[in-house]
Amino acid sequence: MPVVALLLLDGVPAHQVTAAGIVFGSASPVAYRHAPYDLRLCSASEDPNGAPADVATEGPGSVRIAVDRGLDGLADAETVIVTGHAGFRAEPSASVVEALRAVADRGGHVGAIGTGVFLLAATGLLAGRRATTLWRHAPELARRHPEITVIPEESFVADGPFLTSAGVFGGKELCLHVIEQDHGEEAAVEADRHLFLALPDPAEARGGRMIEETGETGEPLGGKGAHGTERAQGAQGTQGGDGAGEVEAVARWMAHRLDRPLILAEIADQAGMSVRSLTRRFRAETGLSPLQCLLRARVRRAQWLLERTDLPVGQIATQTGLGTPANLRHHFQRHNGTTPGTYRAAYRSLAGMFAAAVGTETDAADAGEAEAGETDAGGADAGGADAGVTGANQADRAGRAGAVPAATEGAAEAGEHVAPGGPCGPPDRT
């Protein structure tokens, strides 16, 4: 189980704690081949009895957070994230410095959100590296640590195993980067989608486990007949008998042929195994039958086309192998609890809100930049945005959240996307 430890100090912004929990929590049902994240809240200090001390959030309305562990909680964490805190200008204790250096020495990732970058910088781990922080604190960070290249115009910076971020969106990007490193880009994109759209769990939406309506009798999904059986390279023989590798290869083979009316016998033939063996392998690795996996991939592909293109529902039904608009609407409703049209409108609306929020933070930061008139140690303007969105970064970040121009029909037909969350997507839970 991947372990992420949040190192909390008094005066931590409450949203930095809750946001991390929301982001990593959204990843759990996506990365179906991995256990959920173990998110630990770790304190940097002890109470009079020697137990980890609870941490107070910043005011107004400060509350106390009950922590799970002390610095010992960092010892086996794959990723440690230092949150911002009120006393960020103070020198960290020797025990904190030692604990963070130990994480880096054993190859773990160490990140910092907002003013937490000051603590990370004090350990010496960022020497000779790039980093960012809240734009209003960037000049101070550059003065105190001239050995660090401060990049205030970026809201998230990854330099080797060290991750730094600024602002609400920067903290989210840091957590999504960790998910991408652990589970792949598709899992990170899908986690971000769930953050914005709060899609229902398919099993919960229908009150039970998904049953493939066409059954497993070999009838094709979305049409009759079958195309030639192209054997997927690596599905058999090159994986050293690894069942997970075989299943993934077959699932990806299907994902690249979603517009074709595939039948179970054809899938088994290209995998080089019997229908019974193929079904057993799929259920063991994904919790789904091959046809359930195929249907899941088709619905996920439809989601992507609704988000990124202006194709009508009829063309999307054809390109995903679901055949007719009615069939697409039926399966889309069963998986996502809404219709394709409503999904597209909601996604575009949220994407527009995201882009507007980014623009607002950028405008505010530009005003602060003009007022401050300061430069960092390298001569670069240190009044950049808290949201930290340059032209390239805005396109990249908005692309993950969906705030991108609709793709061309030609790009959609090129099949550039493989269903996120693994080749089958997350399985239903019973």
Side-chain angles (χ1 to χ4, degrees):
M1 179 181 297
V3 176
V4 175
L6 293 185
L7 181 58
L8 309 181
L9 295 91
D10 279 329
V12 56
H15 69 82
Q16 293 186 9
V17 183
T18 56
I22 293 172
V23 175
F24 289 114
S26 70
S28 298
V30 174
Y32 63 88
R33 290 189 300 273
H34 304 270
Y37 278 98
D38 177 5
L39 183 62
R40 298 176 182 171
L41 303 183
C42 302
S43 177
S45 57
E46 298 180 347
D47 64 19
N49 297 321
D54 291 347
V55 176
T57 65
E58 66 177 350
S62 176
V63 298
R64 298 200 68 81
I65 298 176
V67 298
D68 304 318
R69 308 273 288 273
L71 291 176
D72 62 303
L74 280 57
D76 61 342
E78 285 84 359
T79 301
V80 174
I81 301 174
V82 182
T83 61
H85 51 284
F88 65 91
R89 293 183 177 89
E91 286 296 317
S93 66
S95 58
V96 169
V97 172
E98 181 181 355
L100 291 176
R101 286 177 176 171
V103 174
D105 288 344
R106 59 179 170 77
H109 288 82
V110 183
I113 301 175
T115 56
V117 178
F118 282 79
L119 190 157
L120 184 54
T123 66
L125 293 171
L126 295 180
R129 295 185 179 274
R130 302 160 62 250
T132 190
T133 188
L134 297 166
W135 66 268
R136 60 184 175 275
H137 295 304
E140 181 179 359
L141 179 64
R143 288 194 299 269
R144 290 168 63 107
H145 299 280
E147 72 281 6
I148 300 173
T149 301
V150 179
I151 308 177
E153 67 271 16
E154 301 279 2
S155 67
F156 169 68
V157 172
D159 192 331
F162 303 105
L163 318 172
T164 55
S165 64
V168 175
F169 291 117
K172 177 179 77 78
E173 287 302 304
L174 186 152
C175 296
L176 289 172
H177 179 83
V178 172
I179 295 173
E180 182 175 341
Q181 294 297 304
D182 291 340
H183 301 304
E185 181 180 6
E186 292 169 343
V189 170
E190 186 66 9
D192 207 15
R193 174 188 281 124
H194 277 258
L195 286 176
F196 275 85
L197 295 181
L199 296 176
D201 179 90
E204 294 173 358
R206 294 188 304 278
R209 185 175 181 82
M210 178 178 70
I211 302 298
E212 176 56 62
E213 292 193 350
T214 58
E216 298 184 13
T217 62
E219 291 299 320
L221 294 172
K224 296 182 179 180
H227 291 258
T229 58
E230 303 175 52
R231 191 171 299 277
Q233 293 184 359
Q236 182 83 7
T238 61
Q239 299 292 335
D242 180 7
E246 293 176 357
V247 166
E248 183 165 352
V250 175
R252 291 193 178 278
W253 178 86
M254 292 192 296
H256 287 292
R257 294 159 178 80
L258 297 181
D259 60 327
R260 304 184 184 185
L262 301 174
I263 62 174
L264 187 58
E266 179 183 3
I267 300 170
D269 180 69
Q270 77 82 31
M273 62 181 75
S274 67
V275 169
R276 184 187 297 267
S277 295
L278 178 71
T279 301
R280 185 172 62 250
R281 292 279 182 87
F282 264 79
R283 289 199 180 280
E285 295 298 329
T286 71
L288 305 172
S289 74
L291 292 183
Q292 288 171 342
C293 182
L294 177 61
L295 179 59
R296 181 66 59 84
R298 283 175 164 155
V299 173
R300 288 304 178 88
R301 174 66 175 167
Q303 282 181 260
W304 189 85
L305 291 171
L306 289 165
E307 296 163 4
R308 301 303 203 275
T309 79
D310 291 320
L311 293 175
V313 171
Q315 290 188 38
I316 292 176
T318 299
Q319 290 192 18
T320 57
L322 291 171
T324 66
N327 201 33
L328 169 60
R329 293 188 184 97
H330 171 73
H331 289 298
F332 201 93
Q333 178 80 43
R334 292 178 67 240
H335 281 77
N336 294 320
T338 188
T339 65
T342 301
Y343 178 90
R344 172 178 268 168
Y347 194 93
R348 298 285 174 89
S349 175
L350 286 169
M353 292 170 58
F354 176 87
V358 169
T360 300
E361 290 195 10
T362 302
D363 293 342
D366 287 343
E369 175 181 315
E371 182 178 346
E374 294 187 68
T375 59
D376 65 18
D381 195 340
D386 183 5
V389 183
T390 62
N393 280 344
Q394 185 171 5
D396 176 70
R397 197 162 296 112
R400 172 169 278 167
V404 295
T408 64
E409 183 172 333
E413 291 176 349
E416 297 173 351
H417 181 72
V418 176
C424 297
D428 298 318
R429 296 193 295 270
T430 56

